């Protein structure tokens, strides 16, 4: 018998002990579908999903058992196969959180490949993703559920000739009975006992595509295989210590691995229960406002949230809600401010554990030890069956050596959880290093106990609320303006979203434009709304490297300085003459040094700590007087 995934996790020694059982133990089933069939048989009558009524998260929910979830997945798989889905083809969907979304997730993986797409993307991006994924089946909400998403779906339908069938949730007049069908009606006509006309799944079959964020072209598609997902059911399951006794709120979107894997398949495979709080998930303000009462009512055991949600929950009093069912909190997707982690830990009485992973490595690859020492600011210790190290790269981008203990380097990973390569092959040269190591693009250090500390990013991605924004999307739009000679986009610190995109602009000689004019110009040309720059700063000369490239670390430092100066300006009792300098610390990464011309004052120091502690960028206070 394999070691239970609820085995203790106090430190690296427990990870090593878990790895004493071969990976093959967890790969005895050839597919996620087969593994879920086993789970459904074991927990047949137990509640798998509970969906709360839209607009009333404290109303009476509707529940389905594991057996009913499997039957719905079988029907979905048969529906897709009956519509002509063949090997290597994909079911793309833009569904809200619902039973049908989980039927589609499991059913599409059973019959072929699933690809959930962010419905907030522009129609051209959605179409590009569907084309890259070789989509032949589309599943979307109808106009009665979401008119805006239906209009985007209509654009895809009109411009994707490979489509064999479209299934519409809440379908009405959209359905023609020829190519476009009502999802629920078509589902009801399918056999539910097993998947028909299906070849047995294999470990290295691709079963999912996940897009990695908006770019100037089509977002990169990372494939997931059965092998990748199965090993992460064990590894992430061990890190979380998940079991059939756990209940999680499933409020994260299925187009992200946090929603589909971490708070989706991992707890479901272990026999846990998911509570769907709203079709919009955590984007529904009613859910956030009533979160603690949802925990109380459904005895939620794991608080799973992205950092922006944690910040929002700090503004929601627990009140008389009984949250004693919580055993741990887990967060990832973007850097979480240390003060937020400490505050939410104090508010809930359970440790808020920060973890780290990537779409390209399936799920969490590190997590703070749930039974051991929580070191706030770290993303924890590696999980089973994955190797992680910090390395130094040479001028060609190849590994020159492994970083020493606590020396900052580029974080790289290797293991069964790592994808075979992007669908678009052009991206793979920069993604992979020698001997199968994947380049995360993140800078960090690993301490003597195996804790990983992220200190910055070697790549330029801006991460807004866990959403990856390629800065070139902003830069190329601004370069179209006739007055712009150079444009560079970076992220500025934001206490809620982690980062917000901003841009710096240098004009051509003799040219000029206002910041508002540039923002309007960019807004008209940037397809992804989340990428619209919140600020545009006009500079006389862009900082450059010795070979003439824009030196973005200087821009990020300037952006941080501007934000922190603004935050300090609203504090009472702070004298004039203070300043903020942003430098790179050898082990902490970017650090803001607050220089004060005041006599040392504990009350003022506390105010500054509270004001700046909401940001992920660390700060230090230097008293020049006193």
């Amino acid at each position: 018998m394999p070691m239970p995934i609820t085995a203790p996790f106090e430190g690296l020694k427990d990870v090593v002990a878990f790895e004493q059982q071969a990976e093959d133990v967890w790969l005895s089933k050839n597919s996620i579908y087969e593994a879920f069939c086993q789970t459904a048989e074991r927990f047949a009558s137990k509640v798998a999903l509970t969906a709360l009524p839209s607009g009333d998260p404290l109303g009476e929910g509707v529940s389905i058992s594991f057996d009913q979830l499997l039957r719905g997945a079988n029907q979905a798989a048969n529906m897709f196969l009956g519509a002509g889905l063949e090997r290597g083809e994909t079911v793309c969907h833009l569904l809200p959180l619902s039973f049908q979304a989980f039927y589609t997730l499991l059913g599409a993986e059973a019959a072929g490949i699933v690809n959930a797409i962010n419905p907030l993307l522009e129609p051209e991006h959605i179409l590009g993703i569907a084309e890259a994924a070789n989509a032949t089946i589309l599943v979307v909400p109808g106009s009665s559920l979401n008119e805006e998403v239906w209009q985007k779906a209509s654009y895809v339908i009109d411009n994707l000739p490979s489509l064999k069938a479209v299934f519409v949730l809440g379908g009405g007049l959209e359905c023609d009975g020829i190519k476009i069908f009502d999802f629920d009606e078509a589902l009801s006509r399918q056999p539910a006992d097993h998947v028909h006309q299906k070849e047995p799944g294999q470990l290295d079959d691709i079963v999912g595509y996940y897009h990695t964020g908006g770019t100037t072209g089509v977002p990169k598609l990372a494939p997931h295989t059965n092998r990748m997902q199965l090993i992460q059911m064990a590894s992430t399951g061990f890190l979380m210590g998940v079991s059939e006794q756990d209940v999680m709120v499933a409020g994260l979107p299925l187009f992200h691995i946090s929603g589909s894997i971490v708070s989706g398949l991992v707890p479901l495979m272990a026999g846990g229960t998911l509570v769907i709080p709203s079709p919009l998930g955590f984007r529904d303000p009613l859910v956030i406002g009533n979160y603690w009462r949802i925990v109380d009512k459904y005895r939620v055991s794991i608080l799973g949230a992205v950092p922006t949600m944690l910040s929002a929950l700090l503004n929601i009093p627990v009140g008389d809600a009984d949250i004693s069912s919580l055993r741990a909190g887990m967060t990832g997707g973007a850097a979480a401010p240390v003060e937020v982690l400490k505050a939410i830990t104090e508010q809930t009485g359970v440790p808020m554990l920060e973890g780290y992973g990537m779409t390209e490595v399936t799920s969490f690859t590190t997590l703070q030890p749930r039974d051991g020492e929580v070191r706030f600011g770290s993303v924890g210790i590696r999980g089973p069956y994955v190797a992680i190290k910090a390395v130094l790269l040479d001028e060609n981008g190849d590994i020159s050596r492994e970083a020493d203990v606590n020396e900052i380097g580029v974080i790289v990973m290797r293991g069964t959880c790592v994808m075979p390569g992007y669908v678009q092959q052009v991206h793979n040269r920069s993604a992979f290093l020698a001997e199968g190591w994947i380049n995360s693009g993140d800078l960090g250090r690993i301490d003597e106990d195996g804790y990983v500390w992220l200190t910055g990013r070697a790549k330029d991605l801006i991460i807004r609320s866990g959403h990856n924004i390629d800065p070139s999307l902003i830069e190329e739009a601004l370069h179209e303006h006739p007055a712009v000679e150079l444009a560079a986009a970076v992220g500025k610190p934001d206490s809620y979203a982690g980062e917000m995109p901003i841009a710096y602009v240098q004009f051509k000689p003799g040219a000029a434009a206002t910041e508002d004019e540039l923002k309007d110009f960019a807004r008209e040309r940037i397809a992804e709304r989340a990428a619209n720059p919140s600020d545009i700063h006009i500079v006389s000369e862009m900082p450059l490297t010795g070979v003439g490239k824009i030196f973005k670390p200087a821009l990020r430092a300037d952006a941080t300085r501007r934000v922190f100066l603004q935050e300090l300006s609203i504090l009472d009792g702070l004298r004039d003459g203070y300043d903020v300098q942003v430098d790179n610390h050898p082990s902490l990464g970017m650090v803001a040094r607050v220089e004060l011309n005041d006599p040392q004052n504990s009350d003022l120091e506390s105010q500054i700590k509270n004001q700046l502690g909401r940001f992920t960028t660390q700060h230090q206070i230097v008293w020049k007087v006193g």
Side-chain angles (χ1 to χ4, degrees):
M1 289 293 290
M3 181 182 293
I5 56 179
T6 53
F9 176 30
E10 296 181 358
L12 192 56
K13 63 178 178 59
D14 294 314
V15 176
V16 174
F18 191 89
E19 289 174 325
Q20 295 308 303
Q21 52 197 348
E23 292 186 39
D24 290 347
V25 170
W26 303 102
L27 300 174
S28 60
K29 299 299 181 183
N30 283 330
S31 68
I32 282 289
Y33 172 73
E34 287 183 31
F36 184 72
C37 287
Q38 185 179 55
T39 297
E41 180 179 2
R42 180 182 176 193
F43 300 106
S45 61
K46 184 178 181 293
V47 172
L49 298 173
T50 296
L52 309 187
S54 180
D56 184 14
L58 295 180
E60 289 306 311
V62 177
S63 298
I64 59 172
S65 66
F66 275 88
D67 180 67
Q68 289 172 308
L69 176 55
L70 176 60
R71 291 175 66 83
N74 287 341
Q75 288 179 303
N78 288 325
M79 182 172 71
F80 301 145
L81 290 168
L85 184 72
E86 297 181 2
R87 186 177 181 85
E89 295 179 347
T90 300
V91 177
C92 285
H93 79 83
L94 295 91
L95 292 178
L97 290 168
S98 56
F99 293 157
Q100 293 90 339
F102 281 90
Y103 297 158
T104 298
L105 169 62
L106 288 163
E109 286 207 2
I113 303 170
V114 69
N115 174 218
I117 301 178
N118 182 356
L120 297 180
L121 293 176
E122 297 302 321
E124 295 81 4
H125 273 188
I126 295 172
L127 174 63
I129 292 171
E131 289 175 332
N134 189 28
T136 58
I137 307 292
L138 186 65
V139 186
V140 297
S143 57
S144 64
L145 297 180
N146 193 316
E147 175 63 31
E148 180 181 1
V149 175
W150 170 249
Q151 290 302 321
K152 293 177 180 182
S154 298
Y155 176 85
V156 175
I157 294 168
D158 292 340
N159 291 279
L160 190 62
S162 64
L163 276 184
K164 298 176 180 178
V166 180
F167 296 98
V168 181
L169 184 61
L173 296 177
E174 304 93 342
C175 302
D176 58 16
I178 301 172
K179 183 177 181 178
I180 306 176
F181 307 93
D182 179 278
F183 182 101
D184 288 330
E185 194 277 329
L187 193 81
S188 68
R189 291 189 279 104
Q190 299 298 324
D193 56 339
H194 68 282
V195 177
H196 296 255
Q197 307 171 14
K198 179 188 180 302
E199 299 178 11
Q202 301 299 317
L203 284 172
D204 293 316
D205 287 348
I206 294 172
V207 291
Y209 288 132
Y210 290 84
H211 57 80
T212 61
T215 67
T216 53
V218 176
K220 292 180 288 188
L221 282 185
H224 283 194
T225 64
N226 279 312
R227 186 187 301 271
M228 291 167 63
Q229 290 191 354
L230 283 169
I231 207 64
Q232 284 301 82
M233 296 304 110
S235 180
T236 300
F238 164 78
L239 291 174
M240 296 170 60
V242 69
S243 75
E244 69 271 17
Q245 298 176 9
D246 281 311
V247 179
M248 290 188 70
V249 179
L252 297 171
L254 296 187
F255 60 78
H256 196 281
I257 60 168
S258 295
S260 60
I261 305 296
V262 177
S263 60
L265 290 178
V266 169
L268 282 176
M269 286 292 184
T273 296
L274 301 182
V275 177
I276 301 172
S278 162
L280 295 176
F282 293 142
R283 289 192 295 115
D284 187 337
L286 287 175
V287 172
I288 301 300
N290 290 283
Y291 186 83
W292 303 122
R293 294 192 178 278
I294 295 172
V295 170
D296 183 348
K297 183 172 182 177
Y298 292 96
R299 310 312 296 154
V300 174
S301 58
I302 301 175
L303 194 173
V306 294
T308 50
M309 179 184 164
L310 297 180
S311 297
L313 285 177
L314 286 175
N315 298 316
I316 308 297
V318 174
D320 60 358
D322 178 4
I323 62 171
S324 60
S325 57
L326 288 175
R327 65 171 179 85
M330 295 171 190
T331 187
V338 170
E339 295 306 316
V340 170
L341 294 173
K342 291 180 178 178
I344 201 76
T345 295
E346 182 176 352
Q347 182 183 32
T348 61
V350 297
M352 178 53 62
L353 310 176
E354 186 173 8
Y356 173 67
M358 298 166 56
T359 303
E360 294 86 346
V361 297
T362 320
S363 183
F364 275 135
T365 51
T366 73
L367 192 69
Q368 292 272 7
R370 51 189 158 80
D371 302 313
E373 180 186 355
V374 176
R375 299 181 183 179
F376 291 116
S378 164
V379 293
I381 295 168
R382 74 167 180 89
Y385 313 120
V386 62
I388 298 178
K389 63 183 182 180
V391 301
L392 276 67
L393 304 181
D394 62 22
E395 63 275 8
N396 297 317
D398 298 321
I399 297 174
S400 60
R401 67 175 176 86
E402 185 171 349
D404 295 331
V405 172
N406 281 320
E407 182 183 12
I408 292 178
V410 176
I411 300 297
V412 297
M413 290 167 279
R414 184 175 66 184
T416 303
C417 62
V418 176
M419 68 170 184
Y422 293 111
V423 171
Q424 303 98 323
Q425 295 292 323
V426 67
H427 300 300
N428 289 324
R429 172 62 186 91
S430 59
F432 290 96
L433 302 171
E435 300 178 347
W437 292 98
I438 189 168
N439 183 349
S440 72
D442 292 309
L443 298 174
R445 60 185 174 88
I446 302 175
D447 69 20
E448 59 279 0
D449 297 316
Y451 286 75
V452 178
W453 302 77
L454 300 182
T455 59
R457 286 198 301 281
K459 59 188 179 183
D460 291 332
L461 281 180
I462 301 163
I463 302 183
R464 176 180 180 177
S465 298
H467 178 66
N468 292 348
I469 298 171
D470 189 330
S472 63
L473 186 68
I474 303 166
E475 294 162 354
E476 292 194 9
L478 287 170
H479 277 130
E480 293 181 21
H481 193 284
V484 173
E485 180 174 348
L486 294 174
V490 297
K492 76 170 184 179
D494 185 85
S495 61
Y496 176 73
E499 287 184 323
M500 290 290 289
I502 65 170
Y504 288 80
V505 165
Q506 178 181 317
F507 290 139
K508 296 174 182 176
T514 66
E515 293 180 6
D516 286 341
E517 178 187 341
L518 291 171
K519 289 170 74 172
D520 290 341
F521 184 87
R523 191 175 295 112
E524 293 173 358
R525 289 161 176 77
I526 296 174
E528 190 175 345
R529 282 176 288 183
N532 286 321
S534 60
D535 302 308
I536 294 181
H537 301 302
I538 298 169
V539 296
S540 59
E541 189 173 355
M542 198 74 77
L544 302 176
T545 67
V547 294
K549 294 184 178 180
I550 296 175
F551 187 55
K552 287 192 172 180
L555 299 179
R556 283 191 283 268
D558 180 78
T560 301
R561 180 174 183 270
R562 290 172 185 262
V563 170
F564 278 24
L565 284 172
Q566 176 62 34
E567 292 290 322
L568 292 174
S569 70
I570 64 176
L571 294 181
D572 295 330
L574 189 60
R575 294 183 183 181
D576 293 336
Y578 60 85
D579 198 5
V580 175
Q581 298 295 329
V582 180
D583 301 300
N584 277 316
H585 189 279
S587 61
L588 300 177
M590 184 178 288
V591 174
R593 188 174 69 254
V594 180
E595 299 176 346
L596 302 173
N597 289 326
D598 298 63
Q600 191 159 351
N601 182 319
S602 60
D603 180 63
L604 183 57
E605 184 169 349
S606 178
Q607 288 186 53
I608 295 171
K609 180 180 179 180
N610 290 336
Q611 194 71 13
L612 302 186
R614 301 176 296 124
F615 298 88
T616 58
T617 303
Q618 297 195 45
H619 72 274
Q620 299 173 342
I621 299 175
V622 177
W623 302 93
K624 289 189 171 182
V625 179

